[in-house]
């Protein structure tokens, strides 16, 4: 199979033998793929091939191979690298890890590819990271078939701003009359409505808790190593 000049972003890389590397890319038409770049430190015309392959850089890649591990043959930088620094870079790594652990290999998601690119732009330019992270998490879940319904409860009724709701990833929101359940799973109706409107800065704690619970359920035993980057030193 030959892939020619495919839009791609680097998600992860690891060394292989002395001068080669294995790269995991998120591509427009082929989803997540793995390629091996042989002798990436060998100087090519115009510089090292490895120097072009950087995180958050919009690339065009070409590769060949019949197995899941293909051989990288060409790389082009199509635009300037998204400038993510410090906390913003950690957020970008978090998005990358979500894609690696939730999106199937060779499973194309062109809309998700575009949303990922826009999310990197938002992380680089917005005042707050909350909107970028929460909106990407919600879009990712919806794209994979795990959409969180923020407009109706498990009975099909519209979310009531004055009510409280119990949440389960498999059932969605269920209206409750009294708080006899662990508050960790309880959400205010007005907070759910705010999330549906994309007002994540107004309900930061609640939206973060909701997405963490849902993502953990779908990740199963897969742990997100990038979350440790946000822990206080």
């Amino acid at each position: 199979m030959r892939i020619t000049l495919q839009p791609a972003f680097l998600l992860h890389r690891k060394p292989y033998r002395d001068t080669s590397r294995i790269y995991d890319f998120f591509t427009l038409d082929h989803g997540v793929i793995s390629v091996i770049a042989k002798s990436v430190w060998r100087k090519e015309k115009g510089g090292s091939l490895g120097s072009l392959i950087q995180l958050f850089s919009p690339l065009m890649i070409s590769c060949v191979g019949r197995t899941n591990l293909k051989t990288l043959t060409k790389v082009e930088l199509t635009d300037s690298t998204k400038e993510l620094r410090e906390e913003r870079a950690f957020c970008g790594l978090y998005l990358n890890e979500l894609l690696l652990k939730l999106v199937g290999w060779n499973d194309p998601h062109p809309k998700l590819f575009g949303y990922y690119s826009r999310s990197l732009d938002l992380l680089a330019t917005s005042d707050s990271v909350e909107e970028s992270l929460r909106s990407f998490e919600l879009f990712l879940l919806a794209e994979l078939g795990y959409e969180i319904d923020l407009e109706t409860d498990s009975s099909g009724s519209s979310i009531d701003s004055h009510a409280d709701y119990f949440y389960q990833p498999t059932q969605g929101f269920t209206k409750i009359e009294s708080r006899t359940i662990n508050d960790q799973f309880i959400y205010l109706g007005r907070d759910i409505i705010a999330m549906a409107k994309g007002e994540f800065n107004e309900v930061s704690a609640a939206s973060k808790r909701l997405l963490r619970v849902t993502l953990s359920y779908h990740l199963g035993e897969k742990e997100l190593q990038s979350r440790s980057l946000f822990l206080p030193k």
Side-chain angles (χ1 to χ4, degrees):
M1 180 180 180
R2 180 181 297 275
I3 297 174
T4 303
L5 293 178
Q6 176 70 198
F9 282 96
L10 172 66
L11 298 180
H12 182 259
R13 62 189 168 199
K14 59 184 177 182
Y16 181 76
R17 296 180 177 172
D18 292 334
T19 60
S20 301
R21 276 188 173 180
I22 292 176
Y23 295 98
D24 297 325
F25 288 106
F26 186 39
T27 67
L28 176 63
D29 297 318
H30 300 274
V32 178
I33 64 171
S34 289
V35 304
I36 183 170
K38 299 177 180 179
S39 303
V40 292
W41 307 125
R42 184 181 61 197
K43 292 293 182 181
E44 302 278 348
K45 183 178 181 181
S48 169
L49 177 64
S51 67
L52 291 176
I53 309 173
Q54 301 297 325
L55 291 168
F56 319 129
S57 296
L59 304 169
M60 298 284 277
I61 65 169
S62 298
C63 55
V64 296
R66 296 180 179 178
T67 67
N68 285 337
L69 182 61
K70 307 186 186 310
T71 299
L72 186 68
T73 58
K74 187 174 184 179
V75 177
E76 294 180 7
L77 182 65
T78 62
D79 200 353
S80 58
T81 300
K82 318 288 186 179
E83 291 294 334
L84 302 183
R85 303 181 184 278
E86 300 177 347
E87 181 193 23
R88 306 303 176 100
F90 297 161
C91 292
L93 293 174
Y94 170 68
L95 300 190
N96 286 2
E97 192 174 10
L98 285 178
L99 291 172
L100 277 171
K101 292 186 173 178
L102 286 174
V103 177
W105 250 245
N106 303 301
D107 184 11
H109 290 277
K111 291 182 180 178
L112 181 59
F113 182 90
Y115 206 93
Y116 170 78
S117 179
R118 291 192 294 275
S119 295
L120 293 182
D121 288 332
L122 277 175
L123 284 174
T125 59
S126 62
D127 294 331
S128 170
V129 301
E130 290 295 326
E131 180 182 350
S132 304
L133 294 181
R134 303 293 87 82
S135 60
F136 180 82
E137 291 165 335
L138 286 170
F139 190 91
L140 171 64
L141 288 168
E143 181 72 10
L144 299 180
Y146 309 133
E147 183 174 8
I148 301 175
D149 189 346
L150 297 170
E151 297 182 349
T152 58
D153 65 19
S154 57
S155 71
S157 300
S158 298
I159 297 295
D160 181 352
S161 62
H162 301 291
D164 294 337
Y165 291 86
F166 173 65
Y167 176 76
Q168 293 175 291
T170 55
Q171 300 294 327
F173 294 99
T174 301
K175 190 175 181 179
I176 59 174
E177 300 302 327
S178 62
R179 291 196 170 207
T180 58
I181 309 171
N182 190 328
D183 279 358
Q184 178 184 355
F185 303 105
I186 304 300
Y187 296 85
L188 302 177
R190 63 175 179 268
D191 288 351
I192 301 170
I193 292 172
M195 291 183 229
K197 294 178 179 178
E199 298 171 353
F200 300 108
N201 289 327
E202 305 300 320
V203 290
S204 175
S207 60
K208 185 180 295 185
R209 178 162 51 95
L210 174 66
L211 270 303
R212 181 180 285 265
V213 167
T214 308
L215 288 167
S216 294
Y217 173 82
H218 292 295
L219 284 163
E221 297 182 356
K222 301 175 184 177
E223 295 185 5
L224 292 174
Q225 303 300 321
S226 54
R227 281 179 175 164
S228 64
L229 299 172
F230 299 94
L231 296 176
K233 302 291 185 178

